[in-house]
Amino acid sequence: MEATIEQKEIVEPYSTITNELQATLVDYKKAFDTNLFEEQSELILTKIENYLKDSKNTVKGVDVQNPHDLMKEVLSIMNSSKDASLNEKLSTIVDLYLKTGVQANSPGYMGRQFSSVFPIAGVFDFISSMLSQPSSFYEAAQLPSVVRVFMAKELNKFIKYPEDEFDMVTTSGGSLANLTALLSARNYYFPEFWKKGILSVKQGEVPAIAVSEEAHYSIIRTVEMLGLSRHNIIKLPTNYKKQVDISQVETTLSEAKENGFKVFCIVANAATTAVGAFDPIDKLAEIAEEQDCWLHVDGAHGASFLLSEKQREKLKGIHKADSITWDAHKMMFIPGTCSMLFYKEKHKSKLAFRQKASYVFEAEEDEYTKYDGAKKNIECTKRPMIMNLWGVWTFHGASVFEEKIDYLCDLTQRAYQELKKEEDFEVLHHPEANMLCFRYKPLQEDHTRIADFQLKIRNQLKANGNFFISKVSLDGEIALRVVFMNHNTQLNHFKTLLEEIKVTGKTILQTSLKSAMTL
Ligand SMILES: *Cc1c(COP(=O)(O)O)cnc(C)c1O
């Protein structure tokens, strides 16, 4: 009792002041009104539910609006009458957001490596947004920190690193995971580089990495960010499948050595972004060991294939890699971003960064701070992205990923067979993953004359709005690229796409013929 009285005496004058201050927070309190929160969340939920139902049955690509027109719509929302209810505004905004996006849930979406997401993952993302628990430090995000360790162990059952030795950090995207891995590799082989930069490099031992031409651009960017340049990239030749040609690796590496380079890291693509080719990880691991260099697997897209019994073989030897990039927002269908960087050996995960910061880091690790990720990755504030993945894992298990990955790969094989039957189409590779690249060539003569024909087709398809596909440059010439990411897409949709390509292509040819004749 006494304590309560004492407390009252202290608190009273203070609370009078705060009450006065609080009285100024009129708009702020309105913004935090929990009834409003409920109303708005319900409105959004209903809209998204309807959107999910509708879009899976509507073949649609993307409705590309002119940005100036879209800006006008934004301004009109901002200027809408003060009387418009908050919900009317919200409704307009959500409709506009849905309408102007790539329709990732529609069977017409075959464009890129992002996808529609597991609904439960979206729900977890919503919780994370509301709770605000940035996940770089255990004390701020206790559950996400423990879940990260749990999910690392679950996924490692597929990688098969020695259980007590490996580590995993989450990063905001695969590009950042690649950067972190290569930084660790450089610091491992060039420990002085951190302090002295390029001056620490001895003659005849210039740092370089080896990777095929098909590497994702984030690898090239990373090398430049490491204080090196494009000259420090040793290009590994590829075979007709766009995989590293293993028979040429050793010669290429010894030439690099003769030219004064110390290749500290080989990067294996699993799979390549353009065509989805898997480099021979197992054999590259052997070579990396012989040469005493790091092997990094860029599995942003294809590490998820480990979850499928049918596909797993493509990643044979992955447990020998020093590090692996694995994006869950690609073939695990989690909201972007959710990336993981695995290290075979725990201690190597601490090599990337060395800064001290007394306001967050503890000098001595204890049983709590050993769950901190911050010392091992570039972000300070970071989303607890692993929760979204854990959500799906908890409610649907690993098999849901396997089912979808197998479906998409089978669909790609069937589409490939379909395409081979077509006379006017040229298939550019035998697909290993869920990408398929091809060209439409209805004329016999050389097509370099209308070099941008494929590009024109792609742009016209986008404008038609039924299908969303991408393009890629292969062997110096543009090709059409389909990435099957959506379980709502069926073979018939692909056949309809081919029909639309034919019609669109012929129209483009006729138009260019006419304009050539009038010249
Ligand atoms: C997508 C991709 C990346 C980049 O990952 P982000 O998560 O988009 O940053 C890197 N490498 C490969 C092979 C990819 O497919």
Side-chain angles (χ1 to χ4, degrees), residues 113-114 171-178 214-219 268-274 277 296-302 325-330 336-339 435 481:
Q113 291 160 280
F114 59 84
T171 64
S172 310
S175 306
L176 218 49
N178 283 340
E214 298 296 313
H216 188 261
Y217 74 88
S218 62
I219 298 285
N269 299 301
T272 63
T273 309
H296 175 64
V297 174
D298 182 0
H301 188 84
T325 291
W326 184 339
D327 276 359
H329 57 261
K330 286 184 174 164
T337 53
C338 179
S339 300
M435 290 88 160
R481 173 171 172 265

Side-chain angles (χ1 to χ4, degrees), residues 11-13 25 33 59 75 145 148 237 256 286 296 304 330 345 348 382 386-387 418 485 495:
V11 165
E12 194 95 295
L25 299 173
D33 180 355
V59 181
L75 294 176
S145 303
R148 174 174 53 80
E286 275 169 31
H296 175 64
S304 303
K330 286 184 174 164
E345 293 162 280
K348 289 186 177 164
K382 184 170 65 173
I386 200 71
M387 295 300 285
E418 203 58 41
M485 290 299 284
K495 287 187 190 169

Side-chain angles (χ1 to χ4, degrees), residues 203-348:
Q203 215 182 4
E205 286 184 17
V206 178
I209 70 150
V211 66
S212 88
E213 245 164 49
E214 298 296 313
H216 188 261
Y217 74 88
S218 62
I219 298 285
I220 315 300
R221 237 183 218 183
T222 284
V223 172
E224 290 167 349
M225 283 192 278
L226 291 183
L228 307 171
S229 81
R230 276 166 200 243
H231 301 297
N232 306 66
I233 299 173
I234 308 301
K235 290 261 167 74
L236 299 175
T238 51
N239 61 21
Y240 69 100
K241 284 183 168 177
K242 305 281 179 205
Q243 304 163 320
V244 164
D245 178 355
I246 202 74
S247 68
Q248 297 193 55
V249 175
E250 274 164 330
T251 335
T252 312
L253 291 180
S254 23
E255 271 170 22
K257 200 169 178 183
E258 279 163 28
N259 291 332
F261 290 109
K262 157 73 193 154
V263 172
F264 65 90
C265 183
I266 298 175
V267 179
N269 299 301
T272 63
T273 309
V275 304
F278 285 83
D279 287 338
I281 299 173
D282 204 31
K283 296 197 179 114
L284 286 172
E286 275 169 31
I287 295 177
E289 190 171 3
E290 269 165 38
Q291 305 273 334
D292 184 25
C293 80
W294 190 289
L295 177 67
H296 175 64
V297 174
D298 182 0
H301 188 84
S304 303
F305 283 33
L306 284 170
L307 302 170
S308 152
E309 205 174 322
K310 280 195 207 158
Q311 308 297 334
R312 200 167 291 152
E313 185 64 17
K314 292 171 184 154
L315 295 141
K316 188 168 169 235
I318 196 165
H319 62 285
K320 297 179 193 165
D322 295 280
S323 54
I324 304 164
T325 291
W326 184 339
D327 276 359
H329 57 261
K330 286 184 174 164
M331 296 306 284
M332 289 178 92
F333 322 105
I334 300 296
T337 53
C338 179
S339 300
M340 296 166 283
L341 171 60
F342 285 85
Y343 290 91
K344 184 165 63 185
E345 293 162 280
K346 253 188 212 130
H347 70 98
K348 289 186 177 164

Side-chain angles (χ1 to χ4, degrees), residues 30-70:
K30 214 155 85 187
F32 267 77
D33 180 355
T34 46
N35 289 329
L36 187 66
F37 172 67
E38 188 183 347
E39 230 176 274
Q40 295 185 327
S41 311
E42 271 173 13
L43 186 147
I44 292 172
L45 282 184
T46 313
K47 279 198 180 286
I48 293 183
E49 190 188 341
N50 289 334
Y51 169 74
L52 291 179
K53 278 186 199 148
D54 293 346
S55 58
K56 72 173 183 203
N57 298 318
T58 321
V59 181
K60 232 173 151 208
V62 61
D63 184 4
V64 187
Q65 292 204 12
N66 181 304
H68 296 290
D69 295 341
L70 197 52

Side-chain angles (χ1 to χ4, degrees), residues 470-515:
S470 47
K471 51 114 180 127
V472 65
S473 173
L474 283 183
D475 304 320
E477 215 187 311
I478 295 287
L480 301 173
R481 173 171 172 265
V482 156
V483 188
F484 291 107
M485 290 299 284
N486 188 348
H487 56 276
N488 295 319
T489 306
Q490 296 173 20
L491 190 61
N492 268 338
H493 297 117
F494 181 70
K495 287 187 190 169
T496 317
L497 166 72
L498 294 187
E499 289 310 312
E500 192 171 316
I501 291 175
K502 286 183 204 167
V503 174
T504 307
K506 281 179 187 148
T507 315
I508 293 170
L509 284 179
Q510 274 163 9
T511 321
S512 64
L513 211 62
K514 266 189 210 152
S515 63

Side-chain angles (χ1 to χ4, degrees), residues 277-485:
F278 285 83
D279 287 338
I281 299 173
D282 204 31
K283 296 197 179 114
L284 286 172
E286 275 169 31
I287 295 177
E289 190 171 3
E290 269 165 38
Q291 305 273 334
D292 184 25
C293 80
W294 190 289
L295 177 67
H296 175 64
V297 174
D298 182 0
H301 188 84
S304 303
F305 283 33
L306 284 170
L307 302 170
S308 152
E309 205 174 322
K310 280 195 207 158
Q311 308 297 334
R312 200 167 291 152
E313 185 64 17
K314 292 171 184 154
L315 295 141
K316 188 168 169 235
I318 196 165
H319 62 285
K320 297 179 193 165
D322 295 280
S323 54
I324 304 164
T325 291
W326 184 339
D327 276 359
H329 57 261
K330 286 184 174 164
M331 296 306 284
M332 289 178 92
F333 322 105
I334 300 296
T337 53
C338 179
S339 300
M340 296 166 283
L341 171 60
F342 285 85
Y343 290 91
K344 184 165 63 185
E345 293 162 280
K346 253 188 212 130
H347 70 98
K348 289 186 177 164
S349 70
K350 294 185 181 156
L351 289 170
F353 305 104
R354 312 266 172 95
Q355 290 76 13
K356 293 192 169 74
S358 62
Y359 41 89
V360 279
F361 298 144
E362 307 295 338
E364 295 289 327
E365 204 173 75
D366 60 27
E367 64 176 305
Y368 301 98
T369 55
K370 76 175 182 204
Y371 282 84
D372 292 354
K375 281 189 183 173
K376 305 173 201 165
N377 53 245
I378 203 162
E379 307 99 314
C380 180
T381 308
K382 184 170 65 173
R383 279 186 79 78
M385 54 190 90
I386 200 71
M387 295 300 285
N388 303 341
L389 181 58
W390 185 48
V392 183
W393 201 263
T394 310
F395 288 98
H396 307 291
S399 61
V400 80
F401 300 103
E402 179 171 29
E403 259 179 31
K404 182 158 169 173
I405 291 168
D406 284 347
Y407 175 80
L408 296 174
C409 290
D410 282 353
L411 180 63
T412 313
Q413 291 302 326
R414 282 168 205 226
Y416 168 68
Q417 296 302 341
E418 203 58 41
L419 209 49
K420 279 208 309 191
K421 285 192 245 157
E422 294 276 347
E423 270 183 10
D424 296 342
F425 284 89
E426 177 193 20
V427 208
L428 299 168
H429 62 119
H430 183 211
E432 283 191 274
N434 50 328
M435 290 88 160
L436 190 55
C437 301
F438 54 92
R439 294 193 187 102
Y440 179 52
K441 290 191 155 184
L443 300 178
Q444 293 304 315
E445 70 247 51
D446 178 27
H447 253 267
T448 43
R449 192 165 61 83
I450 35 170
D452 58 355
F453 180 48
Q454 309 302 320
L455 193 60
K456 281 188 182 146
I457 294 178
R458 194 260 166 176
N459 291 343
Q460 188 54 49
L461 283 179
K462 196 163 75 173
N464 294 351
N466 296 322
F467 293 98
F468 182 79
I469 68 168
S470 47
K471 51 114 180 127
V472 65
S473 173
L474 283 183
D475 304 320
E477 215 187 311
I478 295 287
L480 301 173
R481 173 171 172 265
V482 156
V483 188
F484 291 107
M485 290 299 284

Side-chain angles (χ1 to χ4, degrees), residues 76-95:
S76 115
I77 290 169
M78 298 310 293
N79 295 331
S80 64
S81 98
K82 283 261 183 296
D83 310 329
S85 76
L86 279 178
N87 285 351
E88 266 172 55
K89 255 192 199 177
L90 182 61
S91 200
T92 314
I93 293 172
V94 179
D95 288 345

